[in-house]
């Protein structure tokens, strides 16, 4: 729209509008200017001043106006309308007639100056007529009116006087108008500029600051210049409508409902973006619909959005102690593209009432744990054999404001595999002599399981690794003897768990002490010198010998170890020889067992009672070997020949075996009494008692590790065609490293030798396969049955198989198809393996080789051990008098109700998985007493 910025004229004096006479001061008062009232062209009476003394020379007629207030003006305009007679038109005037008059002004604060000296007036101009008239025809008067305008700067006083000087013209001042100019009030760029009086000079510009119109704010200081002619010039800056308002007709108008304007600089109001609305006028932002949100950084022009839904298809791939987590983006992104993921890692802690605790800071996330843009993370440095939960949160810019940040997540639980321990980080020297170094170290940062052993590798620094020695210890320290004096040795230590050896530590160098002998010098007795020299010689010889022997020994042990491994890899070559096939049992014993000199045996204490007498622990110092701990079984005095043969037959059998999971025979004492069988010492005694003592203290993987050892030993025995016949947890021995070894090789000959013996009293009914009970069909397959029972014993921490049922009931139950239920927390796969071992048909049972493979597979994939079927069980409660319906119940509930009491005399509780229901129903029938 065009705004007219025409000047405004403010009148200070207009003779036409003055009512009545003007009564200006004329000088001379008579004969000069005269006030004459006439009618103007519209017949309105006006006052004029006239003078016409053209015939008289030297005219000087002054006419002075009244005081005119300046009213703030700085330059005033004087518009004079007048008529002037042309001198030529006047007959008889010569020389005296003029055609101009002079305009003067005089500034003054006094509005009533009665007399002003003519000399104090300042001349404005000499005014001549543009038009003049030659004659006045009174009847038909033609008046040619001149209009002349002059401007005068009046700045010094409050007002001024004007004066007209006539010097001999014939003039009529028809009207005099005095005015000044203003630039009018105007709005430009939403700024209001007030009415402004123009400047004093014709070229002056008055700078004016505008003020913003209602509901607007300054964009840039609004300014304009008021020109002398009353026109606005050069607008600068301006204002903008505030948020919620838009410009219309130079004003700011509120945005209507459904529209918004967020910034003053926005060109106008916009429609509300999707999922938002504005209900009232003047909105600077639209409110989101319920369930939709706007992030702090979201512009108001953006649609309102929602948090994402949960990530999809979260999968985990466990690799030892690392896990790769991958997922697909959420199905609903909420209308945003700023999705990110973060991971929460929780560790299952058995110690804190099975709550999940946040993983420690040592867990590593790649590329990161939070702010992930990718849908794949590798989590490493987890603990081995440990249950973890990972929660993947999907978040976007509005998750926080929506308050739903934590809920949009997917989770996965997993168990890490076994992994070798991390390296030992440092080795400290605790003692040093000329020939020995004592070292100690801390457990690795991440043992990843129970540390079974440390291996210390060392060599002379000069020798590098060309020739090294190995020592193994269960402790975190070692005394290394037999070293050369003043020699630098390099040591590496590594730890071993069930998962194998970890990496060696970095090399640590330690030096033995120097030779303490005094230097040969003055004052040394020659005999002592001789002794010293020869002593040094002998010592050197001894050290050399020790060195050579130790080097040989280390080579031997390494060779032996290699052979052991090789043999273990290629089993089944050797076949077991039954000592009873020897006519002379002593021949067998001397073929398979080493005779030990009793003076090398140091008995320390009694640790138990065996079938033939006491079992003691003690130490054996075999010639040229280091002292070892041993178990010593002795044959009590007063034995018969048969007892002697039976006693020694165990050693003859044991002596044929060489396997890490078979108890090792050190030798026998047959040449003096009492007869003794010396075996390696197993610190933790028999497995059943050991498990009962440590009820619930092992991880499933540790239990499976024990079972694997037993299966490995049994595979070795079966490869050698040896049938054990009395495989039970009580006949498994456990050493300090939790290594389980099969022992007790005495039962085989009992039945063999005495088929008519009352075997039902001696036979371990609960451990024995039905065909072996029924018709003494002892085979590796019947050992497999017993192995299944051992599995059950292990997983139930030494519980008695079939609890307090008597042997006859056990035989009957088995015959009817009943099988032991899964122990509490037993992984489904393990119970299934037990059931496989208890197949009625022995051909259907797995071989030890298959069992071993299966357990190895479980150890490699511990996730498969997670399912315990423990959530809900079908419980059949059978009494001897009545049969009850089964019910679904959890173990916890059973526990709470106190009904799982296997020791209870007349109640048998069987808990099986749902899949086993048919077998269970079958069992129900079987348990009805006859
Ligand atoms: O459960 P234990 O302590 O372990 O009690 C029995 C006891 O002797 C009668 O057999 C223990 N025993 C047998 N052989 C050994 C051995 N080699 N090392 C340690 N203890 C043994 C067994």
């Amino acid at each position: 729209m065009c705004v007219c910025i025409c000047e405004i004229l403010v009148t200070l004096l207009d003779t036409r509008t003055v009512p009545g006479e003007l009564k200006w001061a004329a000088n001379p008062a008579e004969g000069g200017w005269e006030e004459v009232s006439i009618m103007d062209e519209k017949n309105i009476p006006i006052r004029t001043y006239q003078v016409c003394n053209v015939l008289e020379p030297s005219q000087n007629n002054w006419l002075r106006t009244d005081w005119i207030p300046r009213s703030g003006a700085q330059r005033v305009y004087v518009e004079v309308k007048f008529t002037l007679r042309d001198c030529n038109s006047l007959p008889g005037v010569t020389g005296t007639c003029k055609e101009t008059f002079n305009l003067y002004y005089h500034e003054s604060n006094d509005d009533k100056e009665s007399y002003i000296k003519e000399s104090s007036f300042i001349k404005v101009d000499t005014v001549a007529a543009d038009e003049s008239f030659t004659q006045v025809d009174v009847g038909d008067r033609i008046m040619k009116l001149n209009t002349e305008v002059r401007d005068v700067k009046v700045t010094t006083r409050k007002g001024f006087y004007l004066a007209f000087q006539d010097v001999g013209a014939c003039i009529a001042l028809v009207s005099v108008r005095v005015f000044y100019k203003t630039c009018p009030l105007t709005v430009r760029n939403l700024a209001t500029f007030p009415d402004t009086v123009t400047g004093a000079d014709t070229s002056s510009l008055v700078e004016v600051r505008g003020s913003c119109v209602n509901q607007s704010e300054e964009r840039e200081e609004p300014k304009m210049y008021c020109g002398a002619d009353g026109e606005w010039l050069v607008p600068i800056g301006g204002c903008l409508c505030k948020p919620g308002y838009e410009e219309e007709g130079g004003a700011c108008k509120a945005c209507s409902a459904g529209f918004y304007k967020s910034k003053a600089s926005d060109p106008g109001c916009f429609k509300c973006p999707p999922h938002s609305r504005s209900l009232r006028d003047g909105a600077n932002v639209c409110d989101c619909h319920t369930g939709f949100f706007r992030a702090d950084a979201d512009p108001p022009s953006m649609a309102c959005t929602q948090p994402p839904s949960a990530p999809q298809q979260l999968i985990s791939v466990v690799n030892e102690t690392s896990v790769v987590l991958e997922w697909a983006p959420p199905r609903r992104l909420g209308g945003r593209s700023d999705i990110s993921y973060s991971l929460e890692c929780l560790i299952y802690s058995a110690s804190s009432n099975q709550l999940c605790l946040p993983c420690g800071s040592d867990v590593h996330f790649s590329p990161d744990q939070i702010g992930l843009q990718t849908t794949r993370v590798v989590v490493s440095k987890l603990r081995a054999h440990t249950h973890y939960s990972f929660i993947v949160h999907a978040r976007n810019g509005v998750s926080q404001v929506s308050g739903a940040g934590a809920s949009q997540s997917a989770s996965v639980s997993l168990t890490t595999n076994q992994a070798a321990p991390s390296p030992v980080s440092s080795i400290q020297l605790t003692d040093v002599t000329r020939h020995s170094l004592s070292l100690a170290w801390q457990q690795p940062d991440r043992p990843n399981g129970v540390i079974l052993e440390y291996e210390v590798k060392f060599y002379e620094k000069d020798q590098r690794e060309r020739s090294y020695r190995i020592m193994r210890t269960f402790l975190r320290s070692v005394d290394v003897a037999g070293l050369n004096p003043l020699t630098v040795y390099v040591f590496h230590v590594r730890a071993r768990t069930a998962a194998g050896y970890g990496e060696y530590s970095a090399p640590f160098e330690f030096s033995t002490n120097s030779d303490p002998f005094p230097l040969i010098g003055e004052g040394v007795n020659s005999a002592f010198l001789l002794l010293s020299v020869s002593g040094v010689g002998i010592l050197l010889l001894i050290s050399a010998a020790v060195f050579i022997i130790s080097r040989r020994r280390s080579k031997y042990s390494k060779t032996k170890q290699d052979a052991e491994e090789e043999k273990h890899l290629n089993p089944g070559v050797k076949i077991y020889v039954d000592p009873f096939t020897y006519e002379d049992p002593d021949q067998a014993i001397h073929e398979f067992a080493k005779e030990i000199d009793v003076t090398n045996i140091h008995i320390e204490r009694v640790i138990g009672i065996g079938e033939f007498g006491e079992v003691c622990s003690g130490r054996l110092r075999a010639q040229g070997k280091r002292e070892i701990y041993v178990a010593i079984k002795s044959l009590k005095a007063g034995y018969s020949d048969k007892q002697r043969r039976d006693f020694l037959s165990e050693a003859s059998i044991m002596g044929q075996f060489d396997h890490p999971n078979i108890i090792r025979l050190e030798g026998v004492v047959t040449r003096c009494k009492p007869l003794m069988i010396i075996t390696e010492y197993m610190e933790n005694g028999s497995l059943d008692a050991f498990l009962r003592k440590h009820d619930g203290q092992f991880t499933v993987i540790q239990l499976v590790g024990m079972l694997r050892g037993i299966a490995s030993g049994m595979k070795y025995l079966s490869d050698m065609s040896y049938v054990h016949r009395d495989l039970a947890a009580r006949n498994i021995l456990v050493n300090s490293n939790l290594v389980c070894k099969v022992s007790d090789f005495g039962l085989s000959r009992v039945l063999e030798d005495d088929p008519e013996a009352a075997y039902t009293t001696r036979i371990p009914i609960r451990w024995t396969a039905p065909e072996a009970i029924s018709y003494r069909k002892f085979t590796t397959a019947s050992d497999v049955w017993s192995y299944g029972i051992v599995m059950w014993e292990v997983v139930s921490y030494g519980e008695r198989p079939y609890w307090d049922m008597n042997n006859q009931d056990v035989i009957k139950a088995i015959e009817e198809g009943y099988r032991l239920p899964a122990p509490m927390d037993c992984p489904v796969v393990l119970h299934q393996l037990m059931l496989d071992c208890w197949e009625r048909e022995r051909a259907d049972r797995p071989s030890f080789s298959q069992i071993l493979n299966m357990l190895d597979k479980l150890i490699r994939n511990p996730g498969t051990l997670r399912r315990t079927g423990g959530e809900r069980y079908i419980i059949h409660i059978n009494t001897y008098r009545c049969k009850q319906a089964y019910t679904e119940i959890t173990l916890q509930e059973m526990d709470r109700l106190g009904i799982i009491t296997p020791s209870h005399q007349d109640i048998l509780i069987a808990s099986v998985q749902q899949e086993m229901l048919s077998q269970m129903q079958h069992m129900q029938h079987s348990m009805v007493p006859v």
Side-chain angles (χ1 to χ4, degrees):
M1 195 188 103
C2 171
V3 181
C4 178
I5 324 177
C6 313
E7 89 275 341
I8 286 187
L9 309 180
V10 181
T11 303
L12 297 173
L13 167 70
D14 187 352
T15 55
R16 287 177 183 254
T17 60
V18 175
E21 291 182 357
L22 291 170
K23 292 192 178 162
W24 287 352
N27 185 26
E30 298 282 332
W33 293 94
E34 254 178 76
E35 187 171 353
V36 180
S37 285
I38 61 166
M39 293 298 179
D40 70 1
E41 56 282 8
K42 291 176 192 158
N43 245 358
I44 296 170
I46 55 170
R47 274 144 302 278
T48 65
Y49 276 94
Q50 298 177 5
V51 64
C52 193
N53 299 337
V54 289
L55 295 176
E56 292 150 47
S58 307
Q59 288 298 307
N60 186 18
N61 303 308
W62 284 76
L63 176 67
R64 195 196 79 189
T65 65
D66 288 342
W67 186 77
I68 306 167
R70 166 157 86 86
S71 300
Q74 302 190 79
R75 175 162 291 274
V76 294
Y77 296 81
V78 182
E79 181 201 75
V80 184
K81 293 191 182 222
F82 62 94
T83 58
L84 189 81
R85 287 241 355 222
D86 178 359
C87 285
N88 294 333
S89 68
L90 294 168
V93 293
T94 49
T96 54
C97 180
K98 299 285 184 308
E99 291 183 348
T100 60
F101 65 90
N102 296 320
L103 178 65
Y104 290 87
Y105 77 103
H106 166 73
E107 289 189 78
S108 170
N109 289 329
D110 186 352
D111 59 349
K112 294 264 182 319
E113 274 189 84
S114 53
Y115 175 72
I116 305 166
K117 273 199 287 177
E118 283 155 8
S119 60
S120 59
F121 277 93
I122 300 163
K123 185 172 176 181
V124 179
D125 202 3
T126 296
V127 183
D130 287 338
E131 307 276 349
S132 59
F133 58 90
T134 51
Q135 86 182 62
V136 175
D137 190 334
V138 178
D140 183 18
R141 195 169 57 173
I142 302 161
M143 234 167 61
K144 294 238 173 117
L145 197 60
N146 293 286
T147 303
E148 290 294 325
V149 178
R150 297 292 182 273
D151 52 323
V152 188
K153 178 178 171 181
V154 280
T155 53
T156 59
R157 301 286 190 275
K158 285 185 192 162
F160 56 92
Y161 295 89
L162 293 176
F164 303 89
Q165 182 193 28
D166 166 54
V167 286
C170 190
I171 322 162
L173 297 179
V174 177
S175 74
V176 176
R177 191 162 70 98
V178 180
F179 61 89
Y180 63 87
K181 293 182 179 177
T182 63
C183 295
L185 179 143
T186 188
V187 173
R188 185 61 86 82
N189 294 338
L190 290 176
T192 307
F193 294 87
D195 225 349
T196 304
V197 177
T198 56
D201 298 314
T202 46
S203 59
S204 71
L205 295 173
V206 178
E207 186 185 290
V208 181
R209 201 188 176 289
S211 52
C212 291
V213 300
N214 272 350
Q215 303 300 348
S216 74
E217 60 192 35
E218 212 170 276
R219 169 171 53 88
E220 190 193 330
E221 187 182 26
K223 272 195 305 191
M224 264 209 296
Y225 292 91
C226 179
D229 57 357
E231 272 185 31
W232 289 106
L233 299 168
V234 202
I236 298 169
C239 304
L240 295 169
C241 287
K242 285 181 177 170
Y245 291 83
E246 66 182 344
E247 183 179 351
E248 194 180 293
C252 291
K253 182 190 141 230
C255 298
S256 16
F259 289 79
Y260 76 102
K261 194 184 109 175
S262 64
K263 286 199 301 276
S265 57
D266 284 345
C269 299
F270 298 105
K271 207 167 177 322
C272 285
H275 308 299
S276 70
R277 63 182 185 272
S278 66
L279 299 176
R280 276 185 279 118
D281 289 354
N284 53 15
V285 67
C286 297
D287 298 327
C288 289
H289 289 158
T290 313
F292 287 83
F293 307 93
R294 189 173 277 133
D296 289 345
D298 286 354
S301 58
M302 194 172 139
C304 291
T305 53
Q306 290 180 302
S309 54
Q312 304 184 94
Q313 298 146 32
L314 173 60
I315 54 162
S316 61
V317 180
V318 177
N319 179 10
E320 295 193 344
T321 54
S322 298
V323 58
V324 178
L325 297 172
E326 266 184 283
W327 59 91
R331 193 172 46 78
R332 198 166 37 79
L333 294 176
R336 306 182 66 90
S337 55
D338 58 349
I339 188 154
S340 70
Y341 305 96
S342 62
L343 241 75
E344 208 178 324
C345 173
L346 299 170
I347 188 167
Y348 174 90
S349 160
S351 60
S352 64
N353 203 13
Q354 308 192 346
L355 282 171
C356 277
L357 302 172
C359 303
S361 55
D362 45 343
V363 174
H364 184 257
F365 298 84
S366 174
D368 219 329
Q369 186 177 7
I370 53 170
L372 284 161
Q373 301 296 319
T374 59
T375 55
R376 184 177 191 273
V377 171
V378 180
V379 188
S380 51
K381 297 192 178 173
L382 297 167
R383 291 187 209 161
H385 309 307
T386 305
H387 192 68
Y388 285 91
S389 276
F390 291 95
I391 305 170
V392 181
H393 296 280
R395 290 199 170 95
N396 66 14
V398 295
S399 293
Q400 186 85 28
V401 283
S402 70
S407 61
Q408 316 305 317
S409 58
S411 66
V412 66
S413 293
L414 50 92
T415 305
T416 49
N417 294 343
Q418 54 178 12
S422 62
V424 166
S425 53
S426 77
I427 305 174
Q428 288 87 38
L429 182 67
T430 53
D431 197 14
V432 56
T433 69
R434 287 163 53 233
H435 294 295
S436 70
L437 291 165
S438 296
L439 307 174
W441 54 88
Q442 292 297 315
Q443 179 171 282
D445 292 344
R446 277 174 292 110
N448 293 335
V450 179
I451 303 245
L452 302 176
E453 185 177 68
Y454 290 97
E455 187 180 87
V456 183
K457 179 167 100 172
F458 62 99
Y459 45 88
E460 282 182 26
K461 191 177 179 189
D462 295 345
Q463 293 284 321
R464 304 247 165 73
E465 279 195 71
R466 282 195 294 274
S467 155
Y468 60 83
R469 286 166 63 188
I470 297 273
M471 288 179 77
R472 297 203 174 91
T473 173
F474 315 123
L475 307 171
R476 278 186 282 104
S477 61
V478 72
D479 296 327
V480 185
L483 303 177
N484 294 330
L486 201 59
T487 305
V488 177
Y489 286 87
V490 179
F491 288 85
H492 300 263
V493 176
R494 64 178 179 173
R496 181 169 73 83
T497 62
Y501 278 111
E503 278 183 31
Y504 274 121
S505 66
F508 287 85
E509 295 181 7
F510 303 105
S511 174
T512 46
N513 279 348
S514 62
D515 203 316
F517 292 127
L519 290 171
I520 300 169
E522 273 182 319
V524 180
N525 171 312
S526 61
F528 178 73
L529 193 66
L530 188 65
L531 269 175
S532 302
V533 170
S534 51
V536 168
I538 289 163
L539 266 170
L540 278 174
L541 272 174
I542 291 170
S543 336
V546 165
F547 183 62
I548 290 162
I549 289 165
S550 64
R551 293 276 292 276
R552 273 213 188 134
R553 197 196 299 163
S554 66
K555 193 165 171 232
Y556 167 69
S557 55
K558 196 160 180 278
T559 318
K560 193 172 169 216
Q561 189 189 327
D562 290 347
E564 236 172 53
E565 272 166 17
E566 212 166 87
K567 210 190 279 178
H568 191 52
L569 285 172
N570 306 302
V573 182
K574 217 166 130 192
I575 298 291
Y576 149 78
V577 180
D578 183 354
F580 291 92
T581 56
Y582 284 72
E583 264 179 36
D584 176 6
D586 280 357
Q587 195 192 335
I589 196 81
H590 288 121
E591 188 160 336
F592 299 122
K594 201 168 75 184
E595 182 70 29
I596 289 176
D597 184 347
V598 77
T599 57
N600 289 335
I601 301 167
H602 177 77
I603 296 177
E604 283 179 341
R605 62 189 176 93
V606 178
I607 54 173
I609 299 294
E611 199 188 334
F612 298 96
E614 286 171 343
V615 182
C616 299
S617 66
R619 281 172 287 139
L620 169 68
R621 181 183 281 280
Q623 221 159 24
K625 285 192 183 170
R626 86 190 148 89
E627 193 173 68
I628 55 166
Y629 281 97
V630 288
I632 305 142
K633 281 187 180 180
S634 47
L635 179 61
K636 59 179 177 269
Y639 53 83
S640 65
D641 258 9
K642 183 178 172 298
Q643 281 174 316
R644 178 179 187 274
R645 205 158 26 119
D646 288 348
F647 177 73
L648 290 178
S649 71
E650 185 178 11
S652 301
I653 296 166
M654 224 189 300
Q656 295 180 52
F657 305 140
D658 181 13
H659 187 272
N661 296 103
I662 305 291
I663 194 85
R664 192 179 69 249
L665 178 73
E666 294 295 339
V668 288
V669 176
T670 59
R671 298 204 177 118
C672 57
K673 298 209 177 126
L675 298 191
M676 296 181 203
I677 298 176
I678 318 294
T679 64
E680 66 178 306
Y681 180 64
M682 301 291 282
E683 293 84 345
N684 282 314
S686 55
L687 178 61
D688 61 336
F690 174 69
L691 286 171
R692 282 194 283 271
K693 193 167 146 201
H694 297 282
D695 191 2
Q697 291 176 6
F698 299 114
T699 62
V700 176
I701 279 287
Q702 280 175 309
L703 297 178
V704 174
M706 294 177 200
L707 290 173
R708 191 220 177 262
I710 303 165
S712 177
M714 288 309 295
K715 177 182 177 297
Y716 174 83
L717 294 181
S718 67
D719 286 343
M720 284 192 69
S721 306
Y722 177 80
V723 179
H724 191 287
R725 301 176 187 225
D726 194 11
L727 179 57
R730 66 178 169 278
N731 289 330
I732 305 294
L733 291 168
V734 188
N735 73 9
S736 57
N737 290 331
L738 297 189
V739 175
C740 291
K741 305 199 181 197
V742 180
S743 80
D744 206 325
F745 300 94
L747 190 73
S748 57
R749 39 123 181 85
V750 174
L751 294 173
E752 201 76 51
D753 216 27
D754 184 10
E756 297 311 315
Y759 69 91
T760 45
T761 57
R762 301 205 49 165
I763 205 162
I765 295 294
R766 285 153 214 273
W767 283 265
T768 307
E771 74 275 9
I773 296 172
S774 311
Y775 51 98
R776 282 187 288 145
K777 184 70 188 166
F778 284 95
T779 59
T780 291
S782 61
D783 275 354
V784 165
W785 179 289
S786 311
Y787 180 81
I789 303 291
V790 172
M791 283 183 76
W792 192 91
E793 288 183 279
V794 168
V795 182
S796 61
Y797 283 91
E799 181 59 273
R800 179 171 164 78
Y802 310 96
W803 306 285
D804 288 353
M805 286 169 72
N806 65 38
N807 281 352
Q808 279 312 311
D809 287 340
V810 171
I811 292 169
K812 194 154 185 43
I814 294 298
E815 193 55 34
E816 295 287 341
Y818 171 69
R819 297 292 183 268
L820 281 167
M824 179 113 77
D825 293 336
C826 176
V828 171
V829 280
L830 285 187
H831 188 231
Q832 189 52 54
L833 188 55
M834 293 176 204
L835 293 171
D836 292 345
C837 294
W838 302 327
E839 281 289 346
R840 177 187 298 276
E841 290 301 323
R842 66 176 191 278
D844 294 339
R845 295 171 204 155
S847 65
F848 279 115
S849 175
Q850 288 169 321
I851 293 171
L852 193 59
N853 280 342
M854 175 73 174
L855 294 177
D856 280 339
K857 221 183 278 173
L858 295 183
I859 290 168
R860 276 196 304 276
N861 306 294
T864 49
L865 291 165
R866 227 180 303 141
R867 209 171 133 237
T868 62
E871 291 78 34
R872 297 201 73 77
Y873 285 83
I874 303 294
I875 305 302
H876 292 252
I877 303 171
N878 295 277
T879 70
Y880 281 93
R881 317 234 179 289
C882 61
K883 194 174 67 170
Q884 292 180 7
Y886 62 83
T887 177
E888 206 177 281
I889 194 168
T890 62
L891 288 174
Q892 284 87 346
E893 285 165 336
M894 269 195 282
D895 220 357
R896 191 160 47 80
L897 295 169
I899 58 168
I900 187 156
T901 51
S903 56
H904 216 273
Q905 278 303 318
D906 59 349
I907 296 180
L908 175 68
I909 308 292
S911 56
V912 295
Q913 278 194 280
Q914 249 164 327
E915 302 94 84
M916 301 291 292
L917 184 57
S918 58
Q919 189 181 340
M920 206 60 234
Q921 280 163 342
H922 176 63
M923 187 210 95
Q924 267 185 294
H925 297 290
S926 74
M927 295 313 296
V928 180
V930 281

